[in-house]
Amino acid sequence: MKKILMSSLTVTLVAFMVFPSISGADSAVNEGQVVDSNEQFEVNGVEYEQKFMENESERIHKITDDEGTQTFITDKESGKITVESNYLSVDEIKKVEEKVNKLANDIKDDIELTTENDNVEIQSPTGDISWSSWQTSTITPEDKTDVSIVAAAIGSAIPSVGPIAGPLAGIFVNHNMRTGYFSYRMGTQLDTDSNYVNQYLETRIYSDSARNNLIGTETSGPNRVRAY
């Protein structure tokens, strides 16, 4: 992991720290640190619970509804997603794996870096959050009703969005969207402990490619990350 250099109250964050899916870096967290996030959301009257975890080698995305749990495991070296389930048959799991890997690869292929300046100036802990420039991605899943597949593909292809991938997929499905147009950015702020920074993620989903018609917004954070 590349070090972040601190000078007074200013820290320069390079792009791979902010959006690891673009640069190929392993994670937005430092070596040995684990991301562990829980979210609950509702889609068409069905309650879902999402648990998103990340370690040095894997991203693990568990999604539970009234039928049971599907677990999507992304190998960070190969990018391949394998699926486990306590209620799907072997043949059904194989079909889910095919769908989620295809969708995740499509999302990766479509990601655009829309920033002209990759540096983020971080203010004091009591000041405003400093935001990176926006990045964009588009998804058009074949099966638009399977929330678990959409959420897992988003979380695998765009790791920084993983903790809120379920609610984002819920917005997509609840609005019967054929294609979802995403924009996302990272906000950073110094912690009261100078060894750490606080990171925030804002994600917006639009119904049009020009990204004028906003359908929903999800924000997560602060997540406390060691700065070196």
PDB file of all heavy atoms in Angstrom, residues 109-145:
ATOM      1  N   ASP A 109     -15.941  -2.826 -17.101  1.00  0.00           N
ATOM      2  CA  ASP A 109     -15.607  -2.350 -18.442  1.00  0.00           C
ATOM      3  C   ASP A 109     -16.147  -0.945 -18.693  1.00  0.00           C
ATOM      4  O   ASP A 109     -15.605  -0.194 -19.508  1.00  0.00           O
ATOM      5  CB  ASP A 109     -16.172  -3.293 -19.511  1.00  0.00           C
ATOM      6  CG  ASP A 109     -15.454  -4.628 -19.541  1.00  0.00           C
ATOM      7  OD1 ASP A 109     -14.333  -4.705 -18.999  1.00  0.00           O
ATOM      8  OD2 ASP A 109     -16.029  -5.591 -20.093  1.00  0.00           O
ATOM      9  N   ASP A 110     -17.210  -0.584 -17.991  1.00  0.00           N
ATOM     10  CA  ASP A 110     -17.881   0.682 -18.260  1.00  0.00           C
ATOM     11  C   ASP A 110     -17.420   1.819 -17.357  1.00  0.00           C
ATOM     12  O   ASP A 110     -17.740   2.969 -17.604  1.00  0.00           O
ATOM     13  CB  ASP A 110     -19.401   0.511 -18.107  1.00  0.00           C
ATOM     14  CG  ASP A 110     -20.161   1.760 -18.498  1.00  0.00           C
ATOM     15  OD1 ASP A 110     -20.213   2.045 -19.703  1.00  0.00           O
ATOM     16  OD2 ASP A 110     -20.667   2.456 -17.598  1.00  0.00           O
ATOM     17  N   ILE A 111     -16.681   1.512 -16.293  1.00  0.00           N
ATOM     18  CA  ILE A 111     -16.279   2.552 -15.344  1.00  0.00           C
ATOM     19  C   ILE A 111     -15.459   3.629 -16.043  1.00  0.00           C
ATOM     20  O   ILE A 111     -14.563   3.350 -16.827  1.00  0.00           O
ATOM     21  CB  ILE A 111     -15.467   1.944 -14.182  1.00  0.00           C
ATOM     22  CG1 ILE A 111     -16.385   1.095 -13.302  1.00  0.00           C
ATOM     23  CG2 ILE A 111     -14.796   3.030 -13.339  1.00  0.00           C
ATOM     24  CD1 ILE A 111     -15.657   0.330 -12.214  1.00  0.00           C
ATOM     25  N   GLU A 112     -15.792   4.872 -15.758  1.00  0.00           N
ATOM     26  CA  GLU A 112     -15.087   6.003 -16.337  1.00  0.00           C
ATOM     27  C   GLU A 112     -14.502   6.863 -15.226  1.00  0.00           C
ATOM     28  O   GLU A 112     -15.166   7.154 -14.243  1.00  0.00           O
ATOM     29  CB  GLU A 112     -16.042   6.871 -17.165  1.00  0.00           C
ATOM     30  CG  GLU A 112     -16.667   6.165 -18.349  1.00  0.00           C
ATOM     31  CD  GLU A 112     -17.672   7.042 -19.063  1.00  0.00           C
ATOM     32  OE1 GLU A 112     -17.683   8.251 -18.791  1.00  0.00           O
ATOM     33  OE2 GLU A 112     -18.427   6.518 -19.882  1.00  0.00           O
ATOM     34  N   LEU A 113     -13.251   7.291 -15.410  1.00  0.00           N
ATOM     35  CA  LEU A 113     -12.640   8.236 -14.498  1.00  0.00           C
ATOM     36  C   LEU A 113     -12.903   9.632 -15.041  1.00  0.00           C
ATOM     37  O   LEU A 113     -12.451   9.977 -16.127  1.00  0.00           O
ATOM     38  CB  LEU A 113     -11.137   7.976 -14.395  1.00  0.00           C
ATOM     39  CG  LEU A 113     -10.339   8.862 -13.438  1.00  0.00           C
ATOM     40  CD1 LEU A 113     -10.827   8.661 -12.013  1.00  0.00           C
ATOM     41  CD2 LEU A 113      -8.866   8.568 -13.554  1.00  0.00           C
ATOM     42  N   THR A 114     -13.676  10.421 -14.309  1.00  0.00           N
ATOM     43  CA  THR A 114     -14.109  11.716 -14.826  1.00  0.00           C
ATOM     44  C   THR A 114     -13.418  12.878 -14.123  1.00  0.00           C
ATOM     45  O   THR A 114     -13.926  13.982 -14.108  1.00  0.00           O
ATOM     46  CB  THR A 114     -15.627  11.866 -14.659  1.00  0.00           C
ATOM     47  OG1 THR A 114     -15.958  11.698 -13.277  1.00  0.00           O
ATOM     48  CG2 THR A 114     -16.368  10.844 -15.484  1.00  0.00           C
ATOM     49  N   THR A 115     -12.258  12.625 -13.538  1.00  0.00           N
ATOM     50  CA  THR A 115     -11.553  13.673 -12.813  1.00  0.00           C
ATOM     51  C   THR A 115     -10.366  14.193 -13.611  1.00  0.00           C
ATOM     52  O   THR A 115      -9.709  13.459 -14.326  1.00  0.00           O
ATOM     53  CB  THR A 115     -11.050  13.152 -11.457  1.00  0.00           C
ATOM     54  OG1 THR A 115     -10.309  14.192 -10.828  1.00  0.00           O
ATOM     55  CG2 THR A 115     -10.148  11.942 -11.618  1.00  0.00           C
ATOM     56  N   GLU A 116     -10.109  15.466 -13.505  1.00  0.00           N
ATOM     57  CA  GLU A 116      -8.930  16.054 -14.119  1.00  0.00           C
ATOM     58  C   GLU A 116      -7.812  16.207 -13.085  1.00  0.00           C
ATOM     59  O   GLU A 116      -6.662  16.391 -13.422  1.00  0.00           O
ATOM     60  CB  GLU A 116      -9.271  17.430 -14.708  1.00  0.00           C
ATOM     61  CG  GLU A 116     -10.283  17.350 -15.851  1.00  0.00           C
ATOM     62  CD  GLU A 116     -10.614  18.723 -16.395  1.00  0.00           C
ATOM     63  OE1 GLU A 116     -10.082  19.714 -15.853  1.00  0.00           O
ATOM     64  OE2 GLU A 116     -11.389  18.805 -17.354  1.00  0.00           O
ATOM     65  N   ASN A 117      -8.190  16.153 -11.812  1.00  0.00           N
ATOM     66  CA  ASN A 117      -7.216  16.309 -10.733  1.00  0.00           C
ATOM     67  C   ASN A 117      -7.466  15.230  -9.696  1.00  0.00           C
ATOM     68  O   ASN A 117      -8.512  15.215  -9.069  1.00  0.00           O
ATOM     69  CB  ASN A 117      -7.364  17.697 -10.112  1.00  0.00           C
ATOM     70  CG  ASN A 117      -6.317  17.951  -9.036  1.00  0.00           C
ATOM     71  OD1 ASN A 117      -5.501  17.086  -8.753  1.00  0.00           O
ATOM     72  ND2 ASN A 117      -6.348  19.135  -8.447  1.00  0.00           N
ATOM     73  N   ASP A 118      -6.517  14.329  -9.516  1.00  0.00           N
ATOM     74  CA  ASP A 118      -6.703  13.198  -8.617  1.00  0.00           C
ATOM     75  C   ASP A 118      -6.403  13.527  -7.156  1.00  0.00           C
ATOM     76  O   ASP A 118      -6.550  12.682  -6.298  1.00  0.00           O
ATOM     77  CB  ASP A 118      -5.808  12.025  -9.040  1.00  0.00           C
ATOM     78  CG  ASP A 118      -6.241  11.430 -10.359  1.00  0.00           C
ATOM     79  OD1 ASP A 118      -7.412  11.606 -10.711  1.00  0.00           O
ATOM     80  OD2 ASP A 118      -5.402  10.809 -11.019  1.00  0.00           O
ATOM     81  N   ASN A 119      -5.951  14.730  -6.877  1.00  0.00           N
ATOM     82  CA  ASN A 119      -5.568  15.073  -5.519  1.00  0.00           C
ATOM     83  C   ASN A 119      -6.737  15.634  -4.734  1.00  0.00           C
ATOM     84  O   ASN A 119      -7.545  16.394  -5.248  1.00  0.00           O
ATOM     85  CB  ASN A 119      -4.433  16.094  -5.523  1.00  0.00           C
ATOM     86  CG  ASN A 119      -3.150  15.509  -6.085  1.00  0.00           C
ATOM     87  OD1 ASN A 119      -2.929  14.317  -5.971  1.00  0.00           O
ATOM     88  ND2 ASN A 119      -2.337  16.345  -6.698  1.00  0.00           N
ATOM     89  N   VAL A 120      -6.813  15.238  -3.465  1.00  0.00           N
ATOM     90  CA  VAL A 120      -7.855  15.719  -2.566  1.00  0.00           C
ATOM     91  C   VAL A 120      -7.189  16.422  -1.399  1.00  0.00           C
ATOM     92  O   VAL A 120      -6.342  15.839  -0.726  1.00  0.00           O
ATOM     93  CB  VAL A 120      -8.711  14.552  -2.026  1.00  0.00           C
ATOM     94  CG1 VAL A 120      -9.784  15.080  -1.086  1.00  0.00           C
ATOM     95  CG2 VAL A 120      -9.337  13.785  -3.173  1.00  0.00           C
ATOM     96  N   GLU A 121      -7.553  17.669  -1.160  1.00  0.00           N
ATOM     97  CA  GLU A 121      -6.997  18.395  -0.036  1.00  0.00           C
ATOM     98  C   GLU A 121      -7.899  18.202   1.173  1.00  0.00           C
ATOM     99  O   GLU A 121      -9.081  18.538   1.145  1.00  0.00           O
ATOM    100  CB  GLU A 121      -6.888  19.890  -0.375  1.00  0.00           C
ATOM    101  CG  GLU A 121      -5.952  20.182  -1.545  1.00  0.00           C
ATOM    102  CD  GLU A 121      -4.523  19.787  -1.249  1.00  0.00           C
ATOM    103  OE1 GLU A 121      -4.075  20.009  -0.121  1.00  0.00           O
ATOM    104  OE2 GLU A 121      -3.872  19.235  -2.143  1.00  0.00           O
ATOM    105  N   ILE A 122      -7.351  17.664   2.253  1.00  0.00           N
ATOM    106  CA  ILE A 122      -8.147  17.332   3.427  1.00  0.00           C
ATOM    107  C   ILE A 122      -8.061  18.454   4.448  1.00  0.00           C
ATOM    108  O   ILE A 122      -6.973  18.900   4.810  1.00  0.00           O
ATOM    109  CB  ILE A 122      -7.656  16.019   4.067  1.00  0.00           C
ATOM    110  CG1 ILE A 122      -7.685  14.909   3.016  1.00  0.00           C
ATOM    111  CG2 ILE A 122      -8.512  15.655   5.261  1.00  0.00           C
ATOM    112  CD1 ILE A 122      -7.118  13.619   3.510  1.00  0.00           C
ATOM    113  N   GLN A 123      -9.211  18.884   4.908  1.00  0.00           N
ATOM    114  CA  GLN A 123      -9.278  19.971   5.866  1.00  0.00           C
ATOM    115  C   GLN A 123      -9.163  19.439   7.289  1.00  0.00           C
ATOM    116  O   GLN A 123      -8.960  18.262   7.532  1.00  0.00           O
ATOM    117  CB  GLN A 123     -10.593  20.734   5.682  1.00  0.00           C
ATOM    118  CG  GLN A 123     -10.891  21.120   4.238  1.00  0.00           C
ATOM    119  CD  GLN A 123      -9.811  21.995   3.626  1.00  0.00           C
ATOM    120  OE1 GLN A 123      -9.266  22.864   4.292  1.00  0.00           O
ATOM    121  NE2 GLN A 123      -9.503  21.759   2.362  1.00  0.00           N
ATOM    122  N   SER A 124      -9.324  20.316   8.270  1.00  0.00           N
ATOM    123  CA  SER A 124      -9.264  19.928   9.666  1.00  0.00           C
ATOM    124  C   SER A 124     -10.477  19.094  10.033  1.00  0.00           C
ATOM    125  O   SER A 124     -11.477  19.103   9.327  1.00  0.00           O
ATOM    126  CB  SER A 124      -9.215  21.172  10.549  1.00  0.00           C
ATOM    127  OG  SER A 124     -10.446  21.864  10.481  1.00  0.00           O
ATOM    128  N   PRO A 125     -10.422  18.359  11.158  1.00  0.00           N
ATOM    129  CA  PRO A 125     -11.534  17.492  11.552  1.00  0.00           C
ATOM    130  C   PRO A 125     -12.842  18.231  11.753  1.00  0.00           C
ATOM    131  O   PRO A 125     -13.907  17.662  11.611  1.00  0.00           O
ATOM    132  CB  PRO A 125     -11.049  16.869  12.866  1.00  0.00           C
ATOM    133  CG  PRO A 125      -9.576  17.012  12.840  1.00  0.00           C
ATOM    134  CD  PRO A 125      -9.286  18.246  12.058  1.00  0.00           C
ATOM    135  N   THR A 126     -12.750  19.511  12.106  1.00  0.00           N
ATOM    136  CA  THR A 126     -13.971  20.277  12.354  1.00  0.00           C
ATOM    137  C   THR A 126     -14.430  21.044  11.120  1.00  0.00           C
ATOM    138  O   THR A 126     -15.432  21.736  11.148  1.00  0.00           O
ATOM    139  CB  THR A 126     -13.747  21.274  13.507  1.00  0.00           C
ATOM    140  OG1 THR A 126     -12.627  22.122  13.171  1.00  0.00           O
ATOM    141  CG2 THR A 126     -13.445  20.536  14.803  1.00  0.00           C
ATOM    142  N   GLY A 127     -13.680  20.913  10.032  1.00  0.00           N
ATOM    143  CA  GLY A 127     -14.022  21.635   8.817  1.00  0.00           C
ATOM    144  C   GLY A 127     -14.883  20.813   7.880  1.00  0.00           C
ATOM    145  O   GLY A 127     -15.377  19.742   8.214  1.00  0.00           O
ATOM    146  N   ASP A 128     -15.067  21.328   6.656  1.00  0.00           N
ATOM    147  CA  ASP A 128     -15.869  20.639   5.663  1.00  0.00           C
ATOM    148  C   ASP A 128     -15.164  19.384   5.160  1.00  0.00           C
ATOM    149  O   ASP A 128     -13.938  19.290   5.191  1.00  0.00           O
ATOM    150  CB  ASP A 128     -16.156  21.564   4.485  1.00  0.00           C
ATOM    151  CG  ASP A 128     -17.042  22.744   4.879  1.00  0.00           C
ATOM    152  OD1 ASP A 128     -17.787  22.601   5.865  1.00  0.00           O
ATOM    153  OD2 ASP A 128     -16.958  23.779   4.202  1.00  0.00           O
ATOM    154  N   ILE A 129     -15.958  18.435   4.681  1.00  0.00           N
ATOM    155  CA  ILE A 129     -15.392  17.241   4.052  1.00  0.00           C
ATOM    156  C   ILE A 129     -14.861  17.634   2.674  1.00  0.00           C
ATOM    157  O   ILE A 129     -15.511  18.373   1.934  1.00  0.00           O
ATOM    158  CB  ILE A 129     -16.470  16.154   3.905  1.00  0.00           C
ATOM    159  CG1 ILE A 129     -17.003  15.755   5.285  1.00  0.00           C
ATOM    160  CG2 ILE A 129     -15.918  14.938   3.180  1.00  0.00           C
ATOM    161  CD1 ILE A 129     -18.239  14.895   5.220  1.00  0.00           C
ATOM    162  N   SER A 130     -13.684  17.148   2.330  1.00  0.00           N
ATOM    163  CA  SER A 130     -13.112  17.399   1.005  1.00  0.00           C
ATOM    164  C   SER A 130     -13.468  16.242   0.086  1.00  0.00           C
ATOM    165  O   SER A 130     -13.164  15.091   0.386  1.00  0.00           O
ATOM    166  CB  SER A 130     -11.589  17.538   1.106  1.00  0.00           C
ATOM    167  OG  SER A 130     -11.245  18.666   1.871  1.00  0.00           O
ATOM    168  N   TRP A 131     -14.098  16.551  -1.033  1.00  0.00           N
ATOM    169  CA  TRP A 131     -14.607  15.519  -1.936  1.00  0.00           C
ATOM    170  C   TRP A 131     -13.726  15.359  -3.158  1.00  0.00           C
ATOM    171  O   TRP A 131     -13.226  16.331  -3.714  1.00  0.00           O
ATOM    172  CB  TRP A 131     -16.029  15.865  -2.382  1.00  0.00           C
ATOM    173  CG  TRP A 131     -17.025  15.810  -1.266  1.00  0.00           C
ATOM    174  CD1 TRP A 131     -17.479  16.851  -0.511  1.00  0.00           C
ATOM    175  CD2 TRP A 131     -17.681  14.643  -0.761  1.00  0.00           C
ATOM    176  NE1 TRP A 131     -18.374  16.417   0.435  1.00  0.00           N
ATOM    177  CE2 TRP A 131     -18.520  15.057   0.302  1.00  0.00           C
ATOM    178  CE3 TRP A 131     -17.635  13.290  -1.099  1.00  0.00           C
ATOM    179  CZ2 TRP A 131     -19.307  14.165   1.021  1.00  0.00           C
ATOM    180  CZ3 TRP A 131     -18.418  12.398  -0.382  1.00  0.00           C
ATOM    181  CH2 TRP A 131     -19.247  12.837   0.665  1.00  0.00           C
ATOM    182  N   SER A 132     -13.569  14.119  -3.595  1.00  0.00           N
ATOM    183  CA  SER A 132     -12.877  13.843  -4.859  1.00  0.00           C
ATOM    184  C   SER A 132     -13.799  14.213  -6.014  1.00  0.00           C
ATOM    185  O   SER A 132     -14.968  14.514  -5.827  1.00  0.00           O
ATOM    186  CB  SER A 132     -12.525  12.355  -4.944  1.00  0.00           C
ATOM    187  OG  SER A 132     -13.703  11.592  -5.154  1.00  0.00           O
ATOM    188  N   SER A 133     -13.254  14.169  -7.217  1.00  0.00           N
ATOM    189  CA  SER A 133     -14.095  14.330  -8.397  1.00  0.00           C
ATOM    190  C   SER A 133     -14.970  13.090  -8.581  1.00  0.00           C
ATOM    191  O   SER A 133     -14.694  12.031  -8.020  1.00  0.00           O
ATOM    192  CB  SER A 133     -13.236  14.555  -9.644  1.00  0.00           C
ATOM    193  OG  SER A 133     -12.471  15.736  -9.511  1.00  0.00           O
ATOM    194  N   TRP A 134     -16.007  13.210  -9.389  1.00  0.00           N
ATOM    195  CA  TRP A 134     -16.953  12.115  -9.594  1.00  0.00           C
ATOM    196  C   TRP A 134     -16.384  11.071 -10.541  1.00  0.00           C
ATOM    197  O   TRP A 134     -15.674  11.392 -11.489  1.00  0.00           O
ATOM    198  CB  TRP A 134     -18.259  12.644 -10.188  1.00  0.00           C
ATOM    199  CG  TRP A 134     -19.068  13.464  -9.243  1.00  0.00           C
ATOM    200  CD1 TRP A 134     -19.090  14.825  -9.151  1.00  0.00           C
ATOM    201  CD2 TRP A 134     -19.988  12.984  -8.253  1.00  0.00           C
ATOM    202  NE1 TRP A 134     -19.962  15.227  -8.158  1.00  0.00           N
ATOM    203  CE2 TRP A 134     -20.528  14.121  -7.591  1.00  0.00           C
ATOM    204  CE3 TRP A 134     -20.394  11.713  -7.857  1.00  0.00           C
ATOM    205  CZ2 TRP A 134     -21.452  14.019  -6.561  1.00  0.00           C
ATOM    206  CZ3 TRP A 134     -21.318  11.597  -6.831  1.00  0.00           C
ATOM    207  CH2 TRP A 134     -21.839  12.734  -6.198  1.00  0.00           C
ATOM    208  N   GLN A 135     -16.737   9.813 -10.269  1.00  0.00           N
ATOM    209  CA  GLN A 135     -16.533   8.739 -11.223  1.00  0.00           C
ATOM    210  C   GLN A 135     -17.897   8.193 -11.605  1.00  0.00           C
ATOM    211  O   GLN A 135     -18.863   8.306 -10.835  1.00  0.00           O
ATOM    212  CB  GLN A 135     -15.670   7.625 -10.634  1.00  0.00           C
ATOM    213  CG  GLN A 135     -14.192   8.002 -10.530  1.00  0.00           C
ATOM    214  CD  GLN A 135     -13.373   6.842 -10.034  1.00  0.00           C
ATOM    215  OE1 GLN A 135     -13.406   6.534  -8.854  1.00  0.00           O
ATOM    216  NE2 GLN A 135     -12.652   6.200 -10.926  1.00  0.00           N
ATOM    217  N   THR A 136     -17.997   7.588 -12.779  1.00  0.00           N
ATOM    218  CA  THR A 136     -19.289   7.100 -13.246  1.00  0.00           C
ATOM    219  C   THR A 136     -19.217   5.653 -13.694  1.00  0.00           C
ATOM    220  O   THR A 136     -18.161   5.143 -14.080  1.00  0.00           O
ATOM    221  CB  THR A 136     -19.811   7.950 -14.428  1.00  0.00           C
ATOM    222  OG1 THR A 136     -18.907   7.821 -15.537  1.00  0.00           O
ATOM    223  CG2 THR A 136     -19.935   9.414 -14.045  1.00  0.00           C
ATOM    224  N   SER A 137     -20.376   4.985 -13.633  1.00  0.00           N
ATOM    225  CA  SER A 137     -20.509   3.612 -14.118  1.00  0.00           C
ATOM    226  C   SER A 137     -21.957   3.379 -14.507  1.00  0.00           C
ATOM    227  O   SER A 137     -22.863   4.069 -14.024  1.00  0.00           O
ATOM    228  CB  SER A 137     -20.085   2.616 -13.037  1.00  0.00           C
ATOM    229  OG  SER A 137     -20.128   1.295 -13.543  1.00  0.00           O
ATOM    230  N   THR A 138     -22.168   2.427 -15.396  1.00  0.00           N
ATOM    231  CA  THR A 138     -23.511   2.115 -15.888  1.00  0.00           C
ATOM    232  C   THR A 138     -23.758   0.616 -15.749  1.00  0.00           C
ATOM    233  O   THR A 138     -22.864  -0.185 -16.003  1.00  0.00           O
ATOM    234  CB  THR A 138     -23.661   2.509 -17.374  1.00  0.00           C
ATOM    235  OG1 THR A 138     -23.377   3.904 -17.514  1.00  0.00           O
ATOM    236  CG2 THR A 138     -25.066   2.222 -17.878  1.00  0.00           C
ATOM    237  N   ILE A 139     -24.967   0.223 -15.312  1.00  0.00           N
ATOM    238  CA  ILE A 139     -25.291  -1.199 -15.258  1.00  0.00           C
ATOM    239  C   ILE A 139     -26.597  -1.470 -15.993  1.00  0.00           C
ATOM    240  O   ILE A 139     -27.550  -0.700 -15.903  1.00  0.00           O
ATOM    241  CB  ILE A 139     -25.380  -1.730 -13.810  1.00  0.00           C
ATOM    242  CG1 ILE A 139     -26.548  -1.085 -13.044  1.00  0.00           C
ATOM    243  CG2 ILE A 139     -24.095  -1.505 -13.063  1.00  0.00           C
ATOM    244  CD1 ILE A 139     -26.850  -1.793 -11.737  1.00  0.00           C
ATOM    245  N   THR A 140     -26.616  -2.562 -16.744  1.00  0.00           N
ATOM    246  CA  THR A 140     -27.819  -3.033 -17.433  1.00  0.00           C
ATOM    247  C   THR A 140     -27.897  -4.541 -17.241  1.00  0.00           C
ATOM    248  O   THR A 140     -27.480  -5.326 -18.099  1.00  0.00           O
ATOM    249  CB  THR A 140     -27.787  -2.693 -18.938  1.00  0.00           C
ATOM    250  OG1 THR A 140     -27.539  -1.298 -19.100  1.00  0.00           O
ATOM    251  CG2 THR A 140     -29.113  -3.039 -19.612  1.00  0.00           C
ATOM    252  N   PRO A 141     -28.399  -4.999 -16.106  1.00  0.00           N
ATOM    253  CA  PRO A 141     -28.441  -6.445 -15.844  1.00  0.00           C
ATOM    254  C   PRO A 141     -29.483  -7.154 -16.687  1.00  0.00           C
ATOM    255  O   PRO A 141     -30.527  -6.586 -17.033  1.00  0.00           O
ATOM    256  CB  PRO A 141     -28.807  -6.514 -14.351  1.00  0.00           C
ATOM    257  CG  PRO A 141     -29.536  -5.253 -14.094  1.00  0.00           C
ATOM    258  CD  PRO A 141     -28.929  -4.215 -14.991  1.00  0.00           C
ATOM    259  N   GLU A 142     -29.199  -8.419 -17.032  1.00  0.00           N
ATOM    260  CA  GLU A 142     -30.169  -9.212 -17.777  1.00  0.00           C
ATOM    261  C   GLU A 142     -31.386  -9.518 -16.916  1.00  0.00           C
ATOM    262  O   GLU A 142     -32.524  -9.468 -17.387  1.00  0.00           O
ATOM    263  CB  GLU A 142     -29.511 -10.519 -18.250  1.00  0.00           C
ATOM    264  CG  GLU A 142     -28.400 -10.316 -19.266  1.00  0.00           C
ATOM    265  CD  GLU A 142     -27.759 -11.624 -19.668  1.00  0.00           C
ATOM    266  OE1 GLU A 142     -28.184 -12.678 -19.149  1.00  0.00           O
ATOM    267  OE2 GLU A 142     -26.840 -11.609 -20.498  1.00  0.00           O
ATOM    268  N   ASP A 143     -31.141  -9.861 -15.660  1.00  0.00           N
ATOM    269  CA  ASP A 143     -32.234 -10.141 -14.729  1.00  0.00           C
ATOM    270  C   ASP A 143     -32.379  -8.940 -13.806  1.00  0.00           C
ATOM    271  O   ASP A 143     -31.619  -8.755 -12.865  1.00  0.00           O
ATOM    272  CB  ASP A 143     -31.923 -11.397 -13.903  1.00  0.00           C
ATOM    273  CG  ASP A 143     -33.100 -11.802 -13.022  1.00  0.00           C
ATOM    274  OD1 ASP A 143     -34.037 -10.987 -12.864  1.00  0.00           O
ATOM    275  OD2 ASP A 143     -33.095 -12.922 -12.498  1.00  0.00           O
ATOM    276  N   LYS A 144     -33.364  -8.095 -14.094  1.00  0.00           N
ATOM    277  CA  LYS A 144     -33.498  -6.831 -13.386  1.00  0.00           C
ATOM    278  C   LYS A 144     -34.243  -6.951 -12.072  1.00  0.00           C
ATOM    279  O   LYS A 144     -34.443  -5.975 -11.367  1.00  0.00           O
ATOM    280  CB  LYS A 144     -34.191  -5.811 -14.297  1.00  0.00           C
ATOM    281  CG  LYS A 144     -33.408  -5.565 -15.580  1.00  0.00           C
ATOM    282  CD  LYS A 144     -34.202  -4.738 -16.559  1.00  0.00           C
ATOM    283  CE  LYS A 144     -33.391  -4.538 -17.843  1.00  0.00           C
ATOM    284  NZ  LYS A 144     -33.068  -5.787 -18.506  1.00  0.00           N
ATOM    285  N   THR A 145     -34.710  -8.176 -11.749  1.00  0.00           N
ATOM    286  CA  THR A 145     -35.482  -8.345 -10.527  1.00  0.00           C
ATOM    287  C   THR A 145     -34.683  -9.009  -9.409  1.00  0.00           C
ATOM    288  O   THR A 145     -35.130  -9.056  -8.274  1.00  0.00           O
ATOM    289  CB  THR A 145     -36.738  -9.203 -10.795  1.00  0.00           C
ATOM    290  OG1 THR A 145     -36.339 -10.500 -11.250  1.00  0.00           O
ATOM    291  CG2 THR A 145     -37.605  -8.550 -11.843  1.00  0.00           C
TER     292      THR A 145
END
